[in-house]
Amino acid sequence: MKQQLLILLASISLAGHSQVRQVLNMDFGWEFSRDSLFSQTEKVDVPHDFQIVQPWVAPAADERADNSDAAANTKSRLSARGFKEMGTGWYRKTLTADSAEWKDRRILLDFEGIMLVGDVWLNGQHIGRTDYGYLGFETDITRYLRYDRENVIVVKANTMTEKNSRWYTGGGLFRHVSLVTTAKDIFFNRHPLYITTRDNRYVNISADVTASRKATFEASVRIYQPDGQLVAEARTKPKRLASSWEFRLPELTIEKPLLWSCETPYLYKAVVSLLREDGSVADEVEETFGIRTVEIGPEYGLKLNGRKVLLKGYANHHTLGALGAAAYPRAIEKRIQLMKQFGINHIRTSHNPYSREFIQLCNQYGILVVDELYDKWTQQYAGGRSPWEQHWQQDVTEWVKRDRNAPSVIMWSLGNELQQIYDTRYHDWGVTAYQLQRTLLNRYDTTRLTTVAMHPRYRNRQTDSLPCDLARVTDVQSYNYRYMYFPGDGRRFPWMTFYQSEASTQAMGKNFFEMDLDKVIGLAYWGAIDYLGESMGWPAKGWAQGVFDISLQPKPKAYLMKSMFKPEEPTVHLAVLESANSEMWNGVKMANDRYTENWNRPAGTKADLYIFTNCDEVELLLNGKSLGRRQNPREAKLRNQIHWGETDYQSGRLEAVGYQGGKVVARHSLETTGKAVGLQAEADNGRWQADGYDLQHILIRAVDAQGRQVRTADDELTFQLEGPARIAGISNGDITSHALTADASHRLWQGSTTVILRAGREAGTVRLKIKSRNKTKTVTLKLE
């Protein structure tokens, strides 16, 4: 699966011999220079985030260290952007044009994203730009190529000022770069296929084609089911074409279709060919799709294939912890796999389009996506270089055409928390701008509803008892945090369908169980995974309120989420409350309480215990002695959370036993460990591929003589690597750490750290040597 994603670098891929369409990899061997124009360079490979290795910039003495109101003069200027300085990255690559293969062909450069805005030159000629780097673009370089000498590609990536985003964006060529060649006479345009299904059986495909001169052509389509078997095919009658044209292919019937769902994410493949009069293939593209139906309505929320499905999800920014913004497919896949283990079936791409490979992985893993285009419809928050009005038409078109065939995408979201901004262009509170975008969106896709996520404040300007104007025109009513408005707004406007587009992890449980789960679409927990940027106070380098730390280790509260999202799987999990937090943001309590699983505590102290469970009843035992049984609270705001309270600490074993119907169904224990005497290392990738992209996450734990993780261990570790790989990043999960992801040494935090290795492009043996003051561990890995 990973190999397929990495070879097919775009949604439209090479589907035939070299004379049809080529998609050539341009990711490797770039020269990079920071700020200056190649005065000092280093070799880098894409995906690349140049900001992640930059030093942290602590707030000045006269600055507030938190991510408070952006208008405040005392606000730390870099707290939102991860305490990294803004700047420019320059990339350069040489290209030798193949005169035999390319001279009579159309040649394109395809950039899947340049963060935050970007410009491209070829041989000194400016050939392309992006003003919103979360989306890709292509540029035709046919007439600029030189065949008598090398061609030089130069890319400038600019993160703009610290005010042009509210989070850490990263910077640079953070997604794939490709070179595409096609025939000149007849060819498919960018993202050419639009695939829809009817009655879960019939498939309709339209294609966007250009002919450079008058020509007669036919189109053929072949559909393959998930096992590769051809299940349908058709061919058009000859057509005469002399310009760009979008046409429909004959409707195809799939007998005994395999439906796409969260549990069975079956994917079909369509291969569409353009045939000249002489029968030769002029161009050929392929696209995967799923057969499924989506219904949304106020009585049931969301139905997938006629069955009620509740969105149980999270909303995070696009970055990937220690890797920054670099969009590694394996890092994305690891997150999806982890979140599925905890019951997640949904991700909201806040507040911008994620990579194309993210969408492909959601297709493959059965994740339901609310695909979001923007934060706010202003120049400041939509790139920052040019007015939003000058590029939204291109953005909407690229975004929708790129993702519209993905079965995982069930709803479009055009923006986030913007109804409080008065639109001086149209003299309203976002209604006209929304309607303009929605109209264009529906030109390219009519199969999904559209929404905008509403700010938790700023209800109607006349009265707080009514929703804002914008919420009354969107197809779906998406409220950030304010699920308590659903019942009242639903009574006043019975056509409304509600989705809690952001939910606070601090109020986890209550904000799920207090909704009418039979009628709502579901929710997405904001910042469920800690991330860089939006710090609540230095030395935290970012958001620390998630239920997974930035290295992807689950915090105790992650098991509360699992108990809610996987009710069919008995869960019981002990936690010690170390500190309670009450920080507010816009009237919402956002700061999460801090829990640990540490049972190495001072003698004579007490521990404030919580048990997260979906069992009927839990018994607590300390060193084998029962401390009693307690029922799982029935009240919605307390459900699945048993606050046991202050308990005298005794070294040894604390165990929670979960009962269902009087039978033991789950156990979890905390133990007092001995001192750390060794290191354990666990690699997560059993088939590590030598493709230049694939990652190996190695979790390193300090353990005692019995092999138990010692959560108090904070040894400093150093790393030495041998073989065809490199260290892509290191993270111990502590978002207050001053260590940089590229540093050769890191401390353990809560007894662990994670090293991420990036594969080279040659198979071989890789050895990672890990040293602490008195412990050494060597990990030997095979790169295939």
Side-chain angles (χ1 to χ4, degrees):
M1 180 275 298
K2 286 181 290 185
Q3 282 182 305
Q4 180 187 14
L5 279 178
L6 297 171
I7 294 169
L8 307 184
L9 292 178
S11 60
I12 304 299
S13 57
L14 177 61
H17 58 79
S18 62
Q19 292 304 310
V20 179
R21 170 176 289 249
Q22 292 178 298
V23 181
L24 306 177
N25 188 322
M26 296 285 286
D27 285 345
F28 299 104
W30 291 82
E31 291 179 274
F32 173 75
S33 180
R34 177 76 164 86
D35 287 327
S36 58
L37 189 58
F38 306 115
S39 58
Q40 291 182 318
T41 65
E42 59 178 306
K43 288 287 186 182
V44 300
D45 296 328
V46 174
H48 180 247
D49 175 5
F50 67 77
Q51 271 201 309
I52 195 65
V53 299
Q54 292 176 197
W56 308 111
V57 180
D62 60 347
E63 292 179 319
R64 288 180 59 174
D66 61 18
N67 191 32
S68 53
D69 181 24
N73 294 328
T74 57
K75 174 183 179 289
S76 175
R77 65 186 183 89
L78 294 176
S79 62
R81 301 293 294 269
F83 294 103
K84 300 279 189 178
E85 197 63 75
M86 302 300 104
T88 301
W90 292 89
Y91 297 81
R92 180 170 60 193
K93 185 177 177 67
T94 58
L95 172 67
T96 301
D98 187 332
S99 58
E101 287 277 341
W102 296 359
K103 224 163 189 185
D104 295 320
R105 294 178 65 77
R106 175 173 166 262
I107 315 298
L108 308 168
L109 270 178
D110 187 329
F111 293 87
E112 289 194 19
I114 304 175
M115 189 49 55
L116 178 61
V117 300
D119 292 271
V120 184
W121 291 263
L122 178 63
N123 302 326
Q125 178 77 36
H126 188 270
I127 59 169
R129 62 182 277 166
T130 176
D131 290 324
Y132 190 57
Y134 293 105
L135 289 168
F137 67 99
E138 66 182 18
T139 182
D140 191 330
I141 62 171
T142 307
R143 62 193 176 103
Y144 300 112
L145 274 179
R146 303 186 300 213
Y147 291 91
D148 57 343
R149 55 198 149 136
E150 286 188 330
N151 297 272
V152 180
I153 304 167
V154 173
V155 178
K156 177 184 178 183
N158 192 335
T159 61
M160 302 301 288
T161 74
E162 58 271 13
K163 294 182 179 180
N164 290 126
S165 179
R166 299 187 298 113
W167 54 84
Y168 175 83
T169 62
L173 290 174
F174 74 127
R175 296 179 186 163
H176 294 299
V177 183
S178 304
L179 186 142
V180 182
T181 80
T182 74
K184 281 185 175 179
D185 55 340
I186 306 173
F187 52 84
F188 287 107
N189 294 318
R190 184 170 177 81
H191 309 311
L193 303 184
Y194 181 33
I195 305 172
T196 59
T197 59
R198 181 173 62 86
D199 298 335
N200 276 348
R201 185 182 179 189
Y202 303 102
V203 179
N204 289 283
I205 302 176
S206 61
D208 189 8
V209 175
T210 290
S212 58
R213 58 180 181 271
K214 282 190 177 181
T216 299
F217 75 96
E218 297 177 44
S220 71
V221 57
R222 304 184 302 279
I223 294 182
Y224 299 88
Q225 67 183 24
D227 64 2
Q229 180 180 341
L230 179 67
V231 292
E233 58 184 328
R235 191 162 174 162
T236 64
K237 294 179 180 180
K239 297 177 184 293
R240 186 86 171 158
L241 179 65
S243 60
S244 292
W245 187 44
E246 189 171 340
F247 66 91
R248 289 188 62 175
L249 286 100
E251 185 174 72
L252 298 113
T253 302
I254 307 296
E255 301 293 343
K256 298 180 181 178
L258 299 169
L259 301 188
W260 186 95
S261 70
C262 298
E263 298 76 26
T264 58
Y266 292 118
L267 292 173
Y268 286 79
K269 180 173 69 174
V271 179
V272 183
S273 307
L274 295 177
L275 309 172
R276 300 184 181 94
E277 283 186 283
D278 63 4
S280 64
V281 179
D283 201 356
E284 188 169 274
V285 293
E286 66 181 45
E287 180 79 286
T288 56
F289 66 99
I291 300 174
R292 54 97 176 111
T293 59
V294 173
E295 302 167 76
I296 292 176
E299 286 80 27
Y300 49 82
L302 170 71
K303 288 183 181 180
L304 184 64
N305 300 325
R307 182 174 65 89
K308 163 72 179 179
V309 173
L310 188 68
L311 294 188
K312 298 177 286 190
Y314 75 101
N316 261 64
H317 295 304
H318 65 290
T319 51
L320 299 168
L323 302 170
Y328 290 93
R330 172 58 193 149
I332 299 167
E333 181 184 42
K334 182 176 177 67
R335 288 185 170 221
I336 290 173
Q337 290 172 329
L338 173 67
M339 300 309 269
K340 277 186 73 83
Q341 291 173 18
F342 282 79
I344 290 286
N345 66 4
H346 159 55
I347 299 173
R348 173 185 169 214
T349 70
S350 43
H351 304 295
N352 45 261
Y354 287 8
S355 68
R356 178 59 180 160
E357 283 163 324
F358 165 82
I359 296 294
Q360 291 172 327
L361 284 161
C362 289
N363 292 343
Q364 293 175 28
Y365 280 95
I367 298 295
L368 303 171
V369 176
V370 172
D371 201 350
E372 192 155 276
L373 178 58
Y374 294 119
D375 183 14
K376 295 163 179 53
W377 305 326
T378 65
Q379 177 174 336
Q380 180 178 0
Y381 294 120
R385 179 162 69 174
S386 63
W388 173 80
E389 299 91 329
Q390 292 182 8
H391 59 86
W392 70 261
Q393 298 94 332
Q394 292 76 28
D395 296 345
V396 169
T397 302
E398 168 70 13
W399 169 60
V400 174
K401 292 183 73 175
R402 190 196 75 168
D403 293 349
R404 62 187 175 179
N405 297 322
S408 60
V409 176
I410 58 163
M411 195 192 317
W412 304 113
S413 175
L414 287 165
N416 174 70
E417 293 183 351
L418 49 82
Q419 77 269 21
Q420 75 278 14
I421 302 172
Y422 184 70
D423 194 331
T424 57
R425 298 160 296 199
Y426 307 116
H427 305 290
D428 63 18
W429 301 93
V431 171
T432 303
Y434 166 78
Q435 291 172 331
L436 286 170
Q437 291 174 87
R438 184 178 179 273
T439 299
L440 179 60
L441 186 158
N442 288 157
R443 158 68 178 83
Y444 298 108
D445 180 51
T446 58
T447 67
R448 298 168 179 88
L449 298 184
T450 306
T451 192
V452 172
M454 301 300 157
H455 196 289
R457 296 172 64 190
Y458 311 110
R459 294 269 284 170
N460 193 278
R461 291 283 156 173
Q462 280 71 46
T463 172
D464 257 3
S465 66
L466 293 174
C468 65
D469 295 346
L470 184 57
R472 286 192 275 176
V473 298
T474 55
D475 297 334
V476 171
Q477 286 58 52
S478 299
Y479 294 179
N480 287 353
Y481 309 103
R482 298 304 192 188
Y483 67 94
M484 61 287 295
Y485 293 143
F486 292 172
D489 288 356
R491 286 191 295 271
R492 292 182 183 90
F493 306 98
W495 48 267
M496 286 186 167
T497 309
F498 297 102
Y499 162 57
Q500 193 179 169
S501 37
E502 290 178 19
S504 166
T505 56
Q506 200 284 334
M508 182 175 282
K510 173 182 177 180
N511 52 18
F512 179 73
F513 290 119
E514 287 189 341
M515 295 191 298
D516 186 342
L517 300 180
D518 291 330
K519 292 187 175 182
V520 299
I521 290 174
L523 55 62
Y525 277 109
W526 177 256
I529 304 172
D530 291 351
Y531 58 85
L532 291 176
E534 295 191 285
S535 170
M536 284 189 169
W538 179 268
K541 310 308 185 298
W543 180 262
Q545 317 312 317
V547 295
F548 297 86
D549 70 31
I550 198 167
S551 72
L552 299 184
Q553 291 304 296
K555 302 177 187 179
K557 205 168 184 179
Y559 294 89
L560 171 60
M561 185 176 76
K562 183 178 182 181
S563 76
M564 296 156 37
F565 287 176
K566 298 186 84 172
E568 73 285 356
E569 183 177 320
T571 297
V572 63
H573 203 87
L574 278 162
V576 181
L577 178 64
E578 304 288 3
S579 62
N581 294 307
S582 58
E583 187 163 345
M584 305 291 287
W585 173 83
N586 282 311
V588 179
K589 190 175 180 182
M590 298 294 292
N592 222 340
D593 298 336
R594 190 171 74 88
Y595 299 94
T596 73
E597 297 176 28
N598 176 28
W599 201 242
N600 285 49
R601 313 184 75 81
T605 61
K606 291 180 180 292
D608 194 0
L609 301 180
Y610 277 76
I611 302 171
F612 302 127
T613 186
N614 53 16
C615 298
D616 296 336
E617 187 179 32
V618 174
E619 182 178 17
L620 187 63
L621 298 97
L622 182 56
N623 295 325
K625 180 182 177 181
S626 178
L627 301 184
R629 291 193 184 197
R630 296 199 186 168
Q631 300 288 320
N632 192 338
R634 295 178 179 275
E635 192 177 352
K637 68 178 181 179
L638 302 175
R639 194 176 305 166
N640 287 18
Q641 303 177 69
I642 298 175
H643 183 196
W644 203 275
E646 297 281 340
T647 302
D648 292 332
Y649 169 72
Q650 292 179 22
S651 64
R653 179 184 177 89
L654 181 71
E655 184 176 26
V657 181
Y659 294 85
Q660 204 88 324
K663 296 181 180 180
V664 175
V665 292
R667 296 177 181 270
H668 180 245
S669 63
L670 307 180
E671 295 185 26
T672 306
T673 58
K675 90 181 220 189
V677 297
L679 298 172
Q680 283 185 353
E682 179 184 346
D684 74 329
N685 193 343
R687 295 196 62 190
W688 194 19
Q689 301 298 301
D691 56 17
Y693 302 101
D694 203 8
L695 301 178
Q696 187 73 263
H697 294 75
I698 303 173
L699 175 62
I700 302 157
R701 294 187 177 98
V703 296
D704 68 3
Q706 297 182 47
R708 300 172 298 188
Q709 182 172 336
V710 180
R711 296 185 179 276
T712 55
D714 62 353
D715 307 41
E716 184 165 331
L717 306 181
T718 59
F719 307 95
Q720 293 178 340
L721 187 66
E722 299 174 1
R726 72 185 96 160
I727 295 177
I730 304 172
S731 176
N732 64 9
D734 180 9
I735 208 160
T736 68
S737 171
H738 294 314
L740 294 171
T741 183
D743 286 352
S745 63
H746 274 247
R747 285 194 173 277
L748 296 168
W749 184 66
Q750 296 187 356
S752 73
T753 196
T754 298
V755 180
I756 308 170
L757 305 183
R758 178 175 181 170
R761 291 193 286 167
E762 293 182 3
T765 299
V766 175
R767 291 183 178 87
L768 177 67
K769 194 170 188 179
I770 310 153
K771 290 184 178 180
S772 69
R773 184 174 51 192
N774 55 5
K775 295 177 279 292
T776 301
K777 178 76 175 180
T778 299
V779 183
T780 302
L781 302 160
K782 183 181 179 183
L783 187 56
E784 300 176 356

